[in-house]
């Protein structure tokens, strides 16, 4: 009798856990489904060609028929998104990796006492606050010392670089710390200096983890909306330099979504932009999987 | 079946929550959503209305004119707030919506306070926003590059400006855009040579309002039709409003709101307009 | 500090060069860390300096104003915490359950691979996409309208993968011996999990939950289209969560601090945007830092209790 009750409980417990997992799966698939369904209606219901959408440089969903009809080209948005997130990785990458090496190898005590809390607090600062400080401090600085309006791809890239710094740092640091001790002890025993050990042994061995950090950092930058919108200037045309303002997929979405009528071409085009954003995030995840499968140090 | 059960459970839970949530609020609860430009006025009016009618609950949300019109057309909210005529938005069946014009909002062309120009003709404004005029010296000001700050294409404010200030001419693509009046004001006040347009309620001494074709953006010039850059603020309902919705819209149009709140928030009372417009 | 205790004994002529390189590199690593620390110091200092002047009791408790200056952020603070609470009551059980499944029940098969793929996918989603999904499903299809519940559900989607990962890490960190000992004593699997593994993982779980809360607390992009951008007037005497005017009603719209900063920068007519934004940013960062400190303190304290050593000493000794 008691046996019976326990196994019922056992089954219940397992079932509950299974339920939770099912919710995760259902949430994921319904999200993919709904965004995809909304996003492809531009092509299925309004007959916009995919190629035109992906290669068009003009965004004028309101263009009158006599001028050639609505033009929905997503290129300026893509260029903006890739420029700012690439810039963010270029800045945060070296800084973050160097900090990670410091924490893992150069001074673990200081790393643990100071740098880890620093990194954790940087993660916690809300993106709106980053945007607010970017708007009140960075934009005027860029305007004053580098010229232009201040609202620029550069400002957005700088704000994003601070935002993704913790991602890059903590993932790289984890990768470095998880390496077996033998590896570096062997190298030290051969008479290498610390720099040689770091450059020749540790970093190559931890490369998949470090690359993962960089990719996830880029993904975070790619998807950030509000902080970027506050400093990028939002210009629908192609940017000419880093100092000129631009627009990204996310900022276009935040600015226009509420102004369009549900079910109109314009609205659908925005959902298609959200779909593109979604596909790129999936691409980043795919890339992470590829990288971690590709190797590095294995025991 | 086993795997579907959790979903059913969740759905059941959610449904019961909705039922419980609704049962407490059957009578006297309405929701308005839409234009963020109109939101402060409707919110203030709603607060006053609720103070007088303690049993009424009015929730006011932003979300943008497009959202407001979509949601009211789909029956999700009772009142849709919009900056422009429903007829002017693509993709909405305006015939099923009833339009209540509750206020008029005037727009001023604003520049950075350091710009030494006080008046622009329509031709000059068109030149500036289409990118043909690039320096303030070309319109009688100092030698300073013009920085145009526009609204996003989907914005009702931009539609109004394009129609009445630019005569429908398409603007250049190189202008910065900001969706919100607050941001636009901040940028114009801080960026040398900047020009944009703002609802009169946002204009203060951190920016400089220009005359348009010799007419200042004053209430008198707008009500008499001398100054053309203005638009209605609309409340839309799906079909004839009833109950609380009707009472609230009547309150919005009453002298109490029109002469007090509307003016205080920088709008122009609909009752004082001597000219009218159609979509 | 500086060169480590390991001396390099090679008598070649490039020894000096190598040593130089090593020193330069070491200096560079110190510099990088210093820069990162300075960035944080600047951010926190800037926010604290500007925020401190704006914050007083009245600011923290009074409601926001639409028109005149002098508004506070009381309802926004309440909404931020309440939304966090709502979202966490959904996220924590779900995340913990999924983590239990992954760490205790799952076999390495396709189904498990699918779950992992799902959590990874969810964790990679931009919050604006989650917000739009929330608008579509939680706001429109369910008919909740802009509401705290819709916002909490959107936050759950956003935070679930983090919760699963944190909980799974915590559960996996419990030594195998404990499970084996429990099973050997005749306990079955669920008893082992609920009486042995989860209690043993509790410190790390709590730490993880607090840190994840900090991240949810500052979220804005996923909320503008779900929880709404307004806080209706609340009746603090009414604590019946099913009544519409009650602050506890999950079906009313609500505005968090982060959304408030965003909103007053966009459409607000108040003349003291700067003051309110500075003050709100200050409170936001303060709470996040507080979460962090509490999490670390808790970790250290429980660690000490369980092992009789100090966590930091252990690291220093290694």
């Amino acid at each position: 009798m008691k046996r019976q009750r326990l196994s019922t409980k056992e089954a219940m417990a397992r079932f509950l856990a299974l339920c939770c997992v099912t919710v995760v799966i259902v949430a994921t698939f319904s999200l993919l489904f709904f965004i995809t369904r909304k996003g492809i209606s531009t092509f299925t219901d309004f007959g916009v060609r995919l190629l035109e959408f992906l290669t068009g440089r003009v965004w004028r969903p309101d263009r009158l028929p006599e001028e050639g009809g609505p033009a929905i080209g997503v290129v300026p948005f893509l260029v903006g998104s890739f420029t700012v997130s690439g810039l963010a990785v270029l800045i945060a990458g070296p800084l973050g990796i160097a900090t990670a090496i410091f924490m893992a190898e150069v001074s673990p005590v200081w790393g643990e006492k100071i740098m880890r809390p620093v990194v954790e607090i940087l993660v916690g600062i809300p993106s709106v606050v980053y945007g607010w400080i970017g708007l009140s401090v960075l934009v005027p600085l860029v305007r004053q010392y580098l010229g232009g309006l201040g609202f620029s791809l550069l400002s957005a890239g700088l704000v994003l670089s601070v935002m993704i710094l913790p991602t890059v740092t903590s993932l790289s640091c984890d990768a470095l710390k998880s390496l077996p001790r033998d590896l570096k002890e062997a190298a030290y025993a051969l008479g290498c200096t610390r720099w040689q050990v770091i450059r020749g042994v540790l970093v190559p061995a931890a490369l998949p983890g470090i690359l993962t950090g960089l990719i996830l950092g880029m993904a975070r930058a790619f998807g950030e909306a509000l902080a970027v919108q506050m400093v990028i200037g939002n210009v629908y045309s192609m940017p000419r330099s880093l100092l000129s303002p631009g627009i990204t997929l996310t900022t276009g979405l935040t600015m226009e979504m509420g102004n369009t009528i549900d079910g109109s071409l314009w609205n659908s085009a925005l959902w298609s932009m959200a779909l593109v954003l979604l596909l790129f995030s999936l691409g980043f995840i795919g890339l992470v999987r590829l990288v971690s499968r590709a190797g590095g140090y294995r025991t | 079946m086993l795997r579907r059960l959790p979903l059913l459970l969740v759905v059941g839970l959610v449904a019961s929550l909705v039922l419980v949530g609704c049962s407490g609020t059957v009578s006297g609860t309405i929701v308005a959503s839409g234009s963020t430009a109109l939101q402060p006025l409707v919110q203030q009016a709603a607060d006053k209305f609720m103070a007088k009618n303690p049993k009424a609950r009015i929730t006011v949300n932003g979300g943008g004119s497009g959202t407001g019109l979509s949601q009211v057309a789909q029956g999700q909210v009772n009142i849709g707030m919009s900056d422009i005529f429903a007829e002017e938005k693509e993709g909405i069946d305006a015939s099923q919506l009833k339009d209540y014009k509750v206020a008029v909002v005037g727009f001023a062309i604003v520049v950075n306070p350091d710009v030494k120009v006080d008046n622009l003709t329509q031709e000059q404004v068109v030149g500036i926003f289409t990118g043909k005029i690039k320096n303030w010296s070309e319109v009688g000001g100092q030698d300073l590059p013009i920085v145009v700050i526009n609204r996003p294409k989907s914005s009702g404010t931009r539609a109004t400006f394009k129609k009445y200030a630019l005569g429908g001419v398409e603007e250049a693509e190189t202008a910065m855009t900001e969706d919100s009046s607050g941001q636009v004001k901040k940028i114009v006040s801080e960026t040398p040579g900047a020009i944009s347009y703002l609802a009169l309620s946002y204009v203060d001494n951190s920016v400089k309002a220009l005359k348009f074709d010799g007419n200042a953006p004053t209430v008198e010039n707008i009500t008499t039709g001398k100054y053309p850059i203005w638009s209605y603020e609309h409340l839309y309902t799906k079909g004839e409003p009833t109950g609380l919705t009707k009472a609230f819209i009547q309150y919005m149009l009453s002298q109490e709101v029109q002469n007090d709140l509307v003016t205080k928030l920088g709008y122009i009372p609909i009752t004082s307009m001597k000219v009218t417009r159609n979509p | 500090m500086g060169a480590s205790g390991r001396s390099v004994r090679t008598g070649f002529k490039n020894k000096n060069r190598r040593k130089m390189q090593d020193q330069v590199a070491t200096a560079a690593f110190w510099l990088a860390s210093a820069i990162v620390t300075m960035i944080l110091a600047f951010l926190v200092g800037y926010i604290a300096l500007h925020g401190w002047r704006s914050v007083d009791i009245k600011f923290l408790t009074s409601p926001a104003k639409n028109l005149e200056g002098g508004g506070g952020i009381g309802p926004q603070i309440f909404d931020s915490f309440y939304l966090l609470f709502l979202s966490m009551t959904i996220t924590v059980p779900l995340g913990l359950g999924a983590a239990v499944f992954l760490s205790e029940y799952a076999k390495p098969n396709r189904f498990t691979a699918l779950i992992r793929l799902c959590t990874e996918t969810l964790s990679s989603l931009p919050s604006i996409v989650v917000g739009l999904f929330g608008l579509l499903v939680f706001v429109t299809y369910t008919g909740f309208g802009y509401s705290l519940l819709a916002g909490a559900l959107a936050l759950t989607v956003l935070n679930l993968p983090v919760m699963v990962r944190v909980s799974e890490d915590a559960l996996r960190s419990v030594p195998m011996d404990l499970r084996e000992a429990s099973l050997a004593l005749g306990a079955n699997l669920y008893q082992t999990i609920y009486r042995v593994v989860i209690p043993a993982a509790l410190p790390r779980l709590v730490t993880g939950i607090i840190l994840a809360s900090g991240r949810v607390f500052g979220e804005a992009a996923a909320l503008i289209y779900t929880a709404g951008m307004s806080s209706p007037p609340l009746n603090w005497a009414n604590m019946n969560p099913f009544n519409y005017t009650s602050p506890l009603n999950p079906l009313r719209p609500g505005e968090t601090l982060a959304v408030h900063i965003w909103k007053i920068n966009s459409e607000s007519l108040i003349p003291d945007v700067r003051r309110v934004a500075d003050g709100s940013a200050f409170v936001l960062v303060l709470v996040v830092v507080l979460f962090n400190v509490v999490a670390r303190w808790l970790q250290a304290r429980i660690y000490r209790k369980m092992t009789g050593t100090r966590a930091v000493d252990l690291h220093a000794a290694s």
Side-chain angles (χ1 to χ4, degrees), chain B residues 101-124:
Chain B
K101 304 184 188 75
V102 290
V104 164
V105 55
F107 295 98
I109 299 171
V110 292
V111 294
N112 184 272
D114 296 334
V115 171
K116 295 187 175 58
V117 169
D118 297 312
N119 179 42
L120 288 174
T121 63
Q122 179 172 24
E123 207 179 326
Q124 287 170 331

Side-chain angles (χ1 to χ4, degrees), chain C residues 96-170:
Chain C
L96 186 57
V100 165
F101 186 88
L102 281 172
S103 82
E104 310 297 327
Y105 294 117
K107 299 173 184 73
N109 55 18
R110 278 171 180 232
F111 185 61
T112 312
L114 177 72
I115 304 166
R116 296 214 182 277
L117 189 64
C118 284
T119 52
E120 271 176 46
T121 308
L122 280 183
S123 70
S124 77
L125 293 175
S127 53
I128 181 83
V129 170
V130 175
L132 292 175
F133 169 72
L135 170 69
L136 204 58
V137 176
F138 304 135
V139 174
T140 309
Y141 284 171
T142 57
F144 293 161
Y146 293 118
S147 62
L148 289 172
L149 184 61
L153 288 169
L155 283 182
T156 301
V157 173
L158 202 65
N159 203 26
L160 197 54
V162 182
M163 196 60 224
V164 173
R165 203 189 61 228
V166 167
S167 321
E168 199 191 339
D169 283 354

